[in-house]
Amino acid sequence: MSTTVVPARAAWSSVVRAGETLTITDLHGNQAVDCLVYDAHDTSVRYSAPDTIHAQGGIFLTTGSVLLSNEHTALMTVVADEVGRHDTVGGACSKESNTLRYGHHTWAQHACVDNFLAEGARHGLGKRDLVSNINWYMNVPVEKDGTLGIVDGLSAPGLTVTLRAERDVLVLVSNCPQINNPCNGFEPTAVEMAISGTTTSTGGGSA
């Protein structure tokens, strides 16, 4: 097993081979983990929120959810989930969205898009390769009028979510640095990434 503790606000990436599992552990509780998944051999095939949501008939991910690609093929399957539901629609924070939502004083704050761009560049990915992402542990309820909320998380210290790779996949993670809403309890913390049956990781950091 290959295990890496990803510091608060940092990025991580690794190839997860077909049949292997990736377990994400929320070490301290209430920490959002933004995630993108690509076919490791053809990154033009990547996680598709619309395909995934349409196929399962709901916007939240939990045990049994299959992460589908833009070709409607399976990338990973959630095989265990101690939290209950995870977000597919909240997106990744960026300097632009922070400025719009929270004011111009937030422009210099590090954001998930920065992490994705820096970590993705290590694999030949650029801005055009960023798509709607998964937010593990993030609690984004939808009101009856369609309004999205970002509220206190459902997680707690030590809770995990485990995914099985259905093909060789490249997983990019931004351990969310957001401090302007409750998604990280206003204090980002470390998480753990564990891949079963492998000792090779391309994990890096972009704090």
Side-chain angles (χ1 to χ4, degrees):
M1 176 180 289
S2 172
T3 302
T4 303
V5 173
V6 183
R9 303 178 176 86
W12 174 91
S13 64
S14 186
V15 171
V16 185
R17 303 295 178 186
E20 294 178 342
T21 58
L22 169 65
T23 298
I24 306 170
T25 303
D26 187 2
L27 294 174
H28 302 281
N30 209 28
Q31 173 61 36
V33 181
D34 292 41
C35 180
L36 290 169
V37 183
Y38 303 81
D39 185 309
H41 305 291
D42 180 3
T43 55
S44 68
V45 180
R46 68 278 303 264
Y47 168 73
S48 169
D51 285 83
T52 300
I53 291 168
H54 181 264
Q56 69 172 12
I59 63 172
F60 300 114
L61 301 178
T62 189
T63 305
S65 295
V66 180
L67 310 186
L68 294 180
S69 75
N70 52 327
E71 294 188 345
H72 211 73
T73 52
L75 296 171
M76 305 185 85
T77 300
V78 181
V79 295
D81 175 22
E82 295 182 332
V83 179
R85 72 181 196 190
H86 304 265
D87 170 61
T88 61
V89 296
C93 60
S94 66
K95 294 181 183 299
E96 293 80 6
S97 64
N98 281 345
T99 299
L100 180 64
R101 292 172 178 169
Y102 309 115
H104 288 284
H105 67 282
T106 66
W107 174 257
Q109 293 176 3
H110 194 61
C112 284
V113 169
D114 301 321
N115 275 342
F116 281 144
L117 289 174
E119 193 68 18
R122 303 176 66 247
H123 304 279
L125 301 172
K127 193 170 185 178
R128 69 178 59 187
D129 298 300
L130 299 188
V131 294
S132 297
N133 59 285
I134 300 159
N135 292 307
W136 301 114
Y137 301 106
M138 190 168 165
N139 188 14
V140 184
V142 181
E143 306 298 337
K144 291 182 178 180
D145 64 359
T147 302
L148 299 181
I150 299 176
V151 299
D152 287 340
L154 303 173
S155 187
L159 295 189
T160 64
V161 56
T162 300
L163 301 101
R164 181 183 64 238
E166 305 300 347
R167 62 175 71 190
D168 294 351
V169 293
L170 169 64
V171 180
L172 297 186
V173 158
S174 170
N175 193 21
C176 184
Q178 181 62 258
I179 59 173
N180 300 292
N181 68 48
C183 72
N184 300 319
F186 300 101
E187 184 179 355
T189 54
V191 297
E192 181 184 89
M193 315 295 291
I195 302 173
S196 68
T198 183
T199 57
T200 301
S201 173
T202 57
S206 303

